[in-house]
Amino acid sequence: MSASYRLGVDIGGTFTDVVLMSADGVIFSKKVLSTPQDYSRGIEAGVSALLEELGIEASDIGEFVHATTVATNTIIERKGAKSGLLTTKGFRDVLEIARFRTPRLYDIHYKKQDALVERRLRLEADERIAADGSVTRALDDADLEAAAAVFEAEGVEAVSIAFINSYVNGEHERRAAAYLSRRLPGVPVTASVDLLPQLGEYERTSTTVVNSYIRPVVERYVSSLKARLDRLGVKAPLMIMQSSGGVAPGDAVARQPIDIIESGPAAGVLGGQRLGEKIGVGDMLVFDMGGTTAKATVIENHAYAICPETEVGGGAALGARMIKGAGYPVQSPTIDIAEVGAGGGSIAATDAAGGLIVGPRSAGAEPGPVAYGRGGTHPTVTDANIVLGYLNPGALVSGELTLDVKAAMTAISSLGEKVGLSSTDTAYGIHAIADATMLRALRGVSSEKGRDPSQYTMLAIGGNGSVHACSLAEAAGMARIVAPPVAGLFSALGMLFADVEHQLVAAFYRRLDEVDAAALREAVAPLIDRGLGMLRGEGFVAPESQAVTVFADLRYVGQTSPLTLPIPAGDDGLAALLAAFHAEHQAVFGYASPGEAVQFVALKLVCRGVSPTPRMPASARRGAEKTVARHVRRAFFGEAGWIDTPVAPRSDLTETPVLGPMIIEEYDTTIVVRPGWFAARDTWNNVVLTRGAA
């Protein structure tokens, strides 16, 4: 048998999701508890169990794609490498100075997070390159030797190099990187000129330091995962999902791990965008609720927004996209995702005033919700949903995870006594408070950016997304929801639709009116050559398999924040680019100044490897699906009270809408159809929920 299967694996804070898809769109899946001590162990267990169940040989897998939280977790948990920084004399404190911005504006006691490199390991070289690229003070090898001796004596595990103005002339950084690499064998060295050669001293240094801090950890993780795949007999190359929505080889990601900080959430968004193209829905709000966090992203006209910068390490509860200043800036292309600390494992408790709060603390996979029977003692959102009758009281994932309903009831009841509520009202309060928290994320990408969420279709994914989708949509004023096949593992499925992609950047600090088409082509040519070389090295040799798009970061002279725009082809591309910049500036900032000079800040390249066969099948269906037996379960729906609610599998639905309440139960997720909502199934096997008239 040929290698005809594609395998996607997504690691979450609670579950590890494994999805296997055949060439004709048949989907097999496995959901296992994550193993935080060594996430690759959970991957091996899940993949091995699924292959054994199906009787499929590991050699039949032609593609292995993976999304991981290891980069983010390394920073959040402060478990990165002991790092050193070499910078220009006088600039060792740039990480401390940072930006004048905090997540809590009026909190005089707020303390910024410690820099990822201790001050004593931030060393200086007496070198200087001017803003025009000329060398005003040559780099002395004696400074490099002194720095190497300190790093060696201190047992530094990774080194960053960030010299002032290196983005216009990287000669000194490259010399320093070569010297330290020879002098400190086995210690990875990251030079900012190879990672982010563009204007922005603090942002460039922060990005380089974050990359160095997590690089040894990610390198070990990739190596460990490859070894486990070898033991399983999986010969397909390891590909890893990037924050920008593309995939890249594991070795490339290990060298530049800043590209996978939002790896998992990006897979769900990419899958949603491709699904929207398939079913003709161009405007979506992607709602992804897992066990630890909930994420939201807007898709408009079949496209998602890319942010040039994200923050990491500030805590999921704050939301990197919604509140700035809490984490470490990383300038790597990232899908615009709002994230809040609300998931199935979010812990419910009381605050100092005796009120009910939910999250951001999470029970995670270990010990997990009380009902999991793994030592958890604090009630969670999942426990509340079990008490409300939304989730199967016997077991989840088709019986593979048995539940202790009595323990969940006891935990909810005990919390209710503290706040003076019945068990039912306490559970429904937990559900509603989780909704309110997640509504922040939905509004963060819609109404807070001038968009009306009622005009969008919600794509509900993640293990808990479809449980909360109807109540959350009601709060947001939305009237249409799509729950795709394997919604609870959709990130693992979505990454199988992604293309191989690389994003490159080069400094180009010039006024637009001083640049002609020839000069622009000359500046772009090295980027294109480098990008095409990377694609050819990965097997995309034919010209038709290579797709290249060039972008420019532009701003008015004197501004701080640039806008990223594609550069139109042709000799009149500069004029079209200028007109597009003024229009985009008007749309984003509310004004344009056509009389002001515009300048380039950087050039960027996106190069994609185009597969000869479609990445997404014509339709998707489960294989070897264990369907729930039709029955009736009492469920609580707020003002409507307790209702005897039909429970059925997805396959029971047709294109004819059925009025709720009802519960659609399947292996990886549960779809709660509230009273007043209709449910139907379309030709791509999506469950489509509509509010009001069918």
Side-chain angles (χ1 to χ4, degrees):
M1 182 185 293
S2 62
S4 55
Y5 292 94
R6 291 192 282 153
L7 185 67
V9 179
D10 178 38
I11 294 178
T14 305
F15 284 100
T16 293
D17 300 335
V18 182
V19 168
L20 189 70
M21 186 170 70
S22 67
D24 57 355
V26 179
I27 300 168
F28 307 94
S29 61
K30 189 75 175 176
K31 206 173 184 73
V32 298
L33 287 170
S34 295
T35 51
Q37 297 86 359
D38 180 359
Y39 285 112
S40 67
R41 181 163 55 85
I43 294 174
E44 182 177 22
V47 172
S48 177
L50 182 59
L51 295 179
E52 186 176 344
E53 285 178 11
L54 301 174
I56 293 174
E57 296 294 329
S59 56
D60 292 335
I61 297 171
E63 183 178 338
F64 183 93
V65 188
H66 175 41
T68 175
T69 58
V70 65
T72 307
N73 290 346
T74 298
I75 299 174
I76 291 174
E77 298 168 7
R78 298 295 185 275
K79 293 182 177 178
K82 184 175 183 178
S83 302
L85 170 65
L86 182 63
T87 189
T88 302
K89 185 177 181 180
F91 291 88
R92 71 186 297 195
D93 291 323
V94 66
L95 294 178
E96 302 283 0
I97 298 168
R99 297 165 169 168
F100 186 69
R101 192 170 194 173
T102 70
R104 298 193 294 275
L105 184 59
Y106 300 109
D107 183 356
I108 62 174
H109 299 293
Y110 177 76
K111 182 181 181 296
K112 289 192 297 185
Q113 297 192 79
D114 294 333
L116 294 177
V117 182
E118 301 174 63
R119 192 172 192 272
R120 64 191 182 86
L121 295 179
R122 300 199 297 266
L123 308 182
E124 298 175 331
D126 191 11
E127 64 80 44
R128 193 61 180 262
I129 287 175
D132 62 0
S134 61
V135 177
T136 61
R137 189 175 300 121
L139 177 64
D140 190 339
D141 282 359
D143 287 344
L144 300 180
E145 177 54 36
V150 172
F151 292 150
E152 185 177 44
E154 291 287 346
V156 163
E157 300 170 304
V159 173
S160 303
I161 303 172
F163 292 157
I164 193 72
N165 293 328
S166 64
Y167 64 94
V168 288
N169 181 350
E171 175 192 350
H172 284 184
E173 276 200 15
R174 291 195 172 96
R175 265 188 58 203
Y179 187 100
L180 293 178
S181 294
R182 290 193 304 270
R183 181 68 173 73
L184 303 171
V187 175
V189 177
T190 303
S192 75
V193 69
D194 294 327
L195 193 68
L196 189 71
Q198 68 180 45
L199 189 69
E201 174 197 349
Y202 168 62
E203 292 78 10
R204 182 164 48 85
T205 304
S206 175
T207 301
T208 307
V209 166
V210 169
N211 193 80
S212 287
Y213 184 75
I214 62 178
R215 181 173 167 179
V217 176
V218 175
E219 285 179 339
R220 288 194 296 269
Y221 176 78
V222 169
S223 177
S224 172
L225 182 54
K226 282 184 173 181
R228 291 185 183 277
L229 294 177
D230 285 343
R231 283 201 296 272
L232 287 171
V234 176
K235 302 303 181 186
L238 170 61
M239 306 296 288
I240 296 182
M241 191 76 197
Q242 299 179 93
S243 307
S244 60
V247 297
D251 290 340
V253 164
R255 292 190 298 271
Q256 194 164 313
I258 55 165
D259 290 338
I260 62 167
I261 283 174
E262 291 289 346
S263 175
V269 176
L270 183 282
Q273 183 263 336
R274 295 293 168 88
L275 176 62
E277 288 181 335
K278 181 68 68 173
I279 64 176
V281 179
D283 297 331
M284 281 184 175
L285 277 175
V286 180
F287 167 57
D288 181 356
M289 182 182 178
T292 307
T293 60
K295 282 80 68 175
T297 307
V298 67
I299 293 175
E300 290 183 308
N301 194 26
H302 298 294
Y304 45 77
I306 293 287
C307 291
E309 178 182 297
T310 187
E311 286 189 4
V312 62
L318 294 172
R321 158 129 174 9
M322 298 165 68
I323 300 178
K324 294 290 186 181
Y328 304 103
V330 173
Q331 292 200 341
S332 177
T334 303
I335 294 176
D336 187 10
I337 299 172
E339 183 174 3
V340 291
S346 293
I347 292 172
T350 56
D351 60 15
L356 193 62
I357 59 172
V358 179
R361 288 193 306 143
S362 175
E366 295 178 0
V370 175
Y372 286 8
R374 298 169 61 89
T377 57
H378 301 291
T380 65
V381 173
T382 292
D383 295 309
N385 288 333
I386 291 170
V387 170
L388 294 171
Y390 300 155
L391 301 178
N392 189 318
L396 296 178
V397 290
S398 297
E400 294 175 14
L401 179 62
T402 57
L403 300 177
D404 187 341
V405 179
K406 184 177 179 180
M409 289 283 292
T410 300
I412 295 290
S413 177
S414 177
L415 180 61
E417 291 175 2
K418 295 179 182 178
V419 296
L421 295 174
S422 67
S423 295
T424 298
D425 287 343
T426 302
Y428 199 70
I430 293 170
H431 182 94
I433 291 171
D435 279 351
T437 302
M438 294 183 291
L439 191 59
R440 286 183 58 212
L442 284 183
R443 287 175 173 162
V445 296
S446 58
S447 55
E448 291 180 12
K449 298 179 73 174
R451 297 171 174 88
D452 180 1
S454 68
Q455 302 305 303
Y456 292 78
T457 295
M458 177 188 288
L459 180 74
I461 59 176
N464 294 286
S466 299
V467 177
H468 288 256
C470 285
S471 55
L472 188 59
E474 289 175 5
M478 303 176 73
R480 190 166 187 264
I481 300 168
V482 172
V486 294
L489 306 102
F490 193 73
S491 288
L493 177 64
M495 67 184 72
L496 297 179
F497 306 153
D499 295 309
V500 172
E501 182 179 286
H502 298 285
Q503 305 220 10
L504 308 176
V505 61
F508 191 66
Y509 198 64
R510 303 267 297 276
R511 280 178 53 138
L512 191 144
D513 56 12
E514 296 175 351
V515 176
D516 59 19
L520 186 59
R521 283 194 297 270
E522 183 181 356
V524 169
L527 275 182
I528 293 177
D529 289 344
R530 182 181 164 201
L532 293 180
M534 295 171 75
L535 291 179
R536 285 192 290 269
E538 290 154 10
F540 298 97
V541 179
E544 60 270 20
S545 69
Q546 303 164 345
V548 174
T549 308
V550 183
F551 296 84
D553 278 0
L554 297 170
R555 68 184 185 187
Y556 290 120
V557 173
Q559 271 188 321
T560 300
S561 301
L563 294 173
T564 303
L565 295 166
I567 300 177
D571 290 338
D572 60 346
L574 285 171
L577 179 62
L578 180 61
F581 171 76
H582 291 311
E584 182 70 4
H585 202 279
Q586 177 71 48
V588 174
F589 297 113
Y591 75 96
S593 301
E596 291 190 38
V598 175
Q599 67 182 178
F600 286 94
V601 177
L603 299 174
K604 295 180 177 179
L605 181 79
V606 177
C607 49
R608 290 188 302 111
V610 181
S611 173
T613 57
R615 299 292 293 159
M616 192 171 182
S619 63
R621 65 187 189 281
R622 277 190 175 278
E625 183 176 11
K626 299 177 183 177
T627 58
V628 62
R630 300 173 191 86
H631 62 282
V632 173
R633 184 164 72 232
R634 284 177 61 77
F636 186 79
F637 295 100
E639 293 181 359
W642 287 95
I643 300 176
D644 289 332
T645 305
V647 180
R650 179 184 293 248
S651 57
D652 266 21
L653 294 175
T654 66
E655 293 186 42
T656 302
V658 178
L659 180 62
M662 68 183 303
I663 295 173
I664 310 300
E665 202 168 278
E666 45 194 344
Y667 174 80
D668 54 276
T669 194
T670 299
I671 304 171
V672 177
V673 186
R674 293 178 64 84
W677 287 80
F678 288 85
R681 184 161 58 97
D682 68 11
T683 55
W684 214 81
N685 204 24
N686 301 296
V687 172
V688 181
L689 309 179
T690 50
R691 187 180 178 191

